[in-house]
Every structure is written in structure tokens, then in C-alpha cells.
Amino acid sequence: MAACLCLPSLWAQGNQYLTAAAPQKLVAKRGASAEVKIAVSVQPGFHVNSNTPSDAYLIPLKLTWTPGTLEPGEVVFPKPQMEKYEFSDKPLSVFTGDFDLLAKFKAPADASQGPGIMVGKLRYQACNNNSCFPPKTVEVRVSFQVQ
């Protein structure tokens, strides 16, 4: 098994099955909306439940933001894959490999000009072909500049 590399552009917390790369700096104009892509990577041999899992007991992929200068908006997820695994009688709605999330924000009209950081939590439940693991959370940081 490969060791976890702690690269500056990745937020990995020991034994994570999923990492989220640092997105490009977001430039937001006061009173306007802006969006940023967040590159997510799931380790080979694992999958995470999608944001719309097939069963109610499965934990969805979810991105939430700590209140800050920008107002968080919709998070756009890719289309999930439907995959069949040994531990489930029916196909599951999952994400595997590399994919992007699109996070939308709005800069309030009275927002202070200048730099800042929005801090988010990406919660997921990872599984392999045989079983699922307890949910984990990785931190996502979006640097921004309000103009």
C-alpha cells in the first residue's frame, strides 16, 4: 500500500480514502456570484457514496461551509455511477477515481474588499468491494479575493 503523501496542495488526514486538492484562487466581485472547481480523488480500490445514495442508511457525500465572508450556494456534483458490489443486493450510486465538485458562492454587496479563506468540510463514506467504513471528513480551503 502506498504511503500517504502530504503535499501542500492536498488536505489528507491519516488513512483517508479521499483527498480534495486546493482549488485555484476564487475572485469574487461584490454583489456577484462566483464558482470554483474542487478536484476530488478517491483511492484506487475504493468508492464513496454519491450525494444521492441508493439507500437511506448510506452516508452521502456532502460539502458544508463554515460561515465566512462569502455566502455559500449550491454544490454541483457529477453524475454518479451505478455499481454492483458483493455486500449489496442492488447497484449503488457512487463516485470513484477523480472527479470535480463545483462550489458556488456569492459575495455580499457590502463585503470587505481583500483576501480571505472559506473553510469547508467534505464528509464521505468510503467502501471497498466487500464493506463500508465509518464516515470521515476532510477539510477544504478556498482562498478568495473580493474586488
Side-chain angles (χ1 to χ4, degrees):
M1 181 170 177
C4 174
L5 298 177
C6 295
L7 301 174
S9 64
L10 297 179
W11 288 282
Q13 300 167 346
N15 275 342
Q16 293 289 350
Y17 304 102
L18 173 149
T19 55
Q24 291 185 347
K25 189 171 195 172
L26 177 67
V27 177
K29 294 183 191 274
R30 287 192 276 186
S33 297
E35 55 189 40
V36 66
K37 279 187 183 179
I38 300 167
V40 177
S41 183
V42 178
Q43 287 184 12
F46 295 91
H47 64 270
V48 296
N49 294 316
S50 76
N51 56 310
T52 55
S54 307
D55 285 312
Y57 69 89
L58 296 173
I59 296 168
L61 184 65
K62 185 175 183 178
L63 179 58
T64 56
W65 298 99
T66 301
T69 302
L70 301 180
E71 298 170 359
E74 178 187 17
V75 177
V76 180
F77 294 84
K79 183 178 178 191
Q81 303 160 310
M82 296 302 292
E83 305 229 352
K84 178 77 176 83
Y85 296 99
E86 294 176 23
F87 60 87
S88 177
D89 292 336
K90 63 181 181 179
L92 301 179
S93 175
V94 301
F95 297 126
T96 60
D98 299 332
F99 57 92
D100 292 330
L101 302 180
L102 186 65
K104 297 184 179 186
F105 297 95
K106 181 172 183 183
D110 61 353
S112 298
Q113 286 186 314
I117 296 177
M118 290 296 292
V119 178
K121 300 284 184 195
L122 184 59
R123 186 170 191 247
Y124 68 93
Q125 182 178 34
C127 307
N128 60 23
N129 289 339
N130 301 313
S131 59
C132 290
F133 303 98
K136 289 186 175 266
T137 302
V138 294
E139 187 174 88
V140 176
R141 291 178 169 262
V142 174
S143 297
F144 65 85
Q145 177 75 32
V146 175
Q147 297 181 338

